[in-house]
Amino acid sequence: MTTTSLTTSRGAGRAGDKVFSAATLAAGCLILAVLFGVALFLVIQALPALVASPDKIQGGEGFFAYIWPIVIGTLIAAAIALVIATPVAIGVALFISHFAPRKLASGLGYVIDLLAAIPSVVYGAWGAAFLAKEISPAYNWLASNLGWLPIFQGPASATGKTILTAGIVLSVMILPIITSLTREIFLQTPKLHEEAALALGATRWEMIKMAVLPFGRPGIVSAVMLGLGRALGETMAVALVLSSGALTASLIQSGNQTIAAEIALNFPEAGGLKVNTLIAAGLVLFVITLGVNMIARWVITRHKEFSGAN
């Protein structure tokens, strides 16, 4: 290759690098611009509800008295979903990545990924038409035997459409997300780390505990936070499954509500200040989701130096 052709090739390479760098910078700026635009829209539209007279807001006690029970209901439903889905997802991911035969693992991984493609309204219909009815006897048992606990205080809902049922449906919905991400993280564990642990006499579980889980810890946190974001913002499934009502500590009574379901159920018929109130509720959900992601990023950054990846 001549000197002229080398120079031409290097010049084309530098031009390609500049184009690629500019494209990635534009993509990053576009994401920030969209996020800023959404936040600005929510703030502008929410201001009338935030400064309105309390008696003009639903409930007659002001916006914050209206929104805080819904916020608590949202957090309760998301917490139930995470408590149920996280250990199951990690267990399934470990089975696929380190225990199942390769043919079974690939098929099971495909099925898990397929679950993520099911529309949320299908999960909601399943929860409302089947799960709520089938789980209602279990709620009666909990009220009879564990009713001394506030979270299982009766009388149990006759329809089974409670915040606990909504949390169970949400856990099924976020399960494939957490499983898929943690599975890919576990598969990236350096083989030398695993082989070294086994060579020192560790059992397979001890190897997973010493090599796989520490390596995948930041990825597990990221997957769980992504699932939490899905659970916080889920609308149709919760709207179909939950019989909304006043805030209650019991998970098996009718009542409670989430922000997303509140907006979905009331926005079509809302008008005037009610629209601003619902948009303000959306702003609160936006802030909660942003805060959760910032905390997750801080946790990942803080513990990154202790992970097996380093």
Side-chain angles (χ1 to χ4, degrees):
M1 186 178 291
T2 62
T3 304
T4 304
S5 60
L6 281 174
T7 304
T8 303
S9 176
R10 290 173 180 174
R14 293 192 186 98
D17 288 343
K18 291 179 180 179
V19 171
F20 181 74
S21 176
T24 54
L25 177 62
C29 292
L30 178 62
I31 293 297
L32 293 177
V34 170
L35 184 64
F36 176 77
V38 171
L40 184 63
F41 167 79
L42 290 175
V43 170
I44 293 175
Q45 294 296 319
L47 277 177
L50 297 177
V51 300
S53 176
D55 61 325
K56 294 182 179 180
I57 304 296
Q58 181 177 331
E61 298 182 4
F63 174 75
F64 292 101
Y66 159 76
I67 196 64
W68 78 264
I70 309 177
V71 170
I72 294 177
T74 303
L75 296 178
I76 290 174
I80 294 172
L82 284 188
V83 168
I84 297 174
T86 300
V88 176
I90 294 175
V92 173
L94 284 174
F95 175 75
I96 294 175
S97 61
H98 287 83
F99 290 94
R102 287 300 92 193
K103 291 184 178 180
L104 176 61
S106 60
L108 187 58
Y110 176 77
V111 172
I112 294 295
D113 293 339
L114 187 62
L115 288 175
I118 298 177
S120 60
V121 67
V122 175
Y123 284 109
W126 166 75
F130 175 78
L131 180 62
K133 180 177 64 176
E134 295 298 325
I135 207 171
S136 183
Y139 291 164
N140 292 326
W141 184 90
L142 289 172
S144 301
N145 295 273
L146 297 176
W148 51 274
L149 292 173
I151 59 174
F152 297 132
Q153 185 177 4
S157 171
T159 62
K161 294 183 176 182
T162 67
I163 193 72
L164 181 55
T165 305
I168 295 172
V169 173
L170 288 176
S171 70
V172 176
M173 295 180 65
I174 68 175
L175 181 64
I177 298 175
I178 303 176
T179 301
S180 297
L181 292 177
T182 52
R183 177 193 67 202
E184 295 303 322
I185 294 296
F186 292 157
L187 288 173
Q188 294 176 17
T189 305
K191 293 299 180 183
L192 289 177
H193 292 189
E194 298 180 2
E195 293 171 358
L198 294 172
L200 291 173
T203 63
R204 179 170 293 189
W205 162 243
E206 290 172 335
M207 178 272 293
I208 290 173
K209 186 171 63 173
M210 292 186 297
V212 178
L213 293 179
F215 175 85
R217 182 171 22 181
I220 293 173
V221 174
S222 298
V224 170
M225 291 302 106
L226 187 61
L228 177 59
R230 173 75 184 273
L232 288 172
E234 181 51 47
T235 304
M236 290 309 301
V238 177
L240 290 172
V241 171
L242 182 61
S243 292
S244 61
L247 178 67
T248 174
S250 177
L251 303 180
I252 60 175
Q253 293 181 10
S254 297
N256 297 309
Q257 180 63 298
T258 66
I259 295 176
E262 174 78 5
I263 296 172
L265 293 174
N266 293 283
F267 201 87
E269 299 178 355
L273 188 60
K274 181 62 176 179
V275 174
N276 300 108
T277 303
L278 294 175
I279 293 178
L283 175 62
V284 173
L285 182 59
F286 180 86
V287 172
I288 292 174
T289 306
L290 183 63
V292 166
N293 282 279
M294 291 178 64
I295 293 173
R297 180 56 54 188
W298 175 78
V299 170
I300 293 171
T301 303
R302 195 177 193 287
H303 294 282
K304 184 169 58 178
E305 63 271 21
F306 302 108
S307 72
N310 296 294

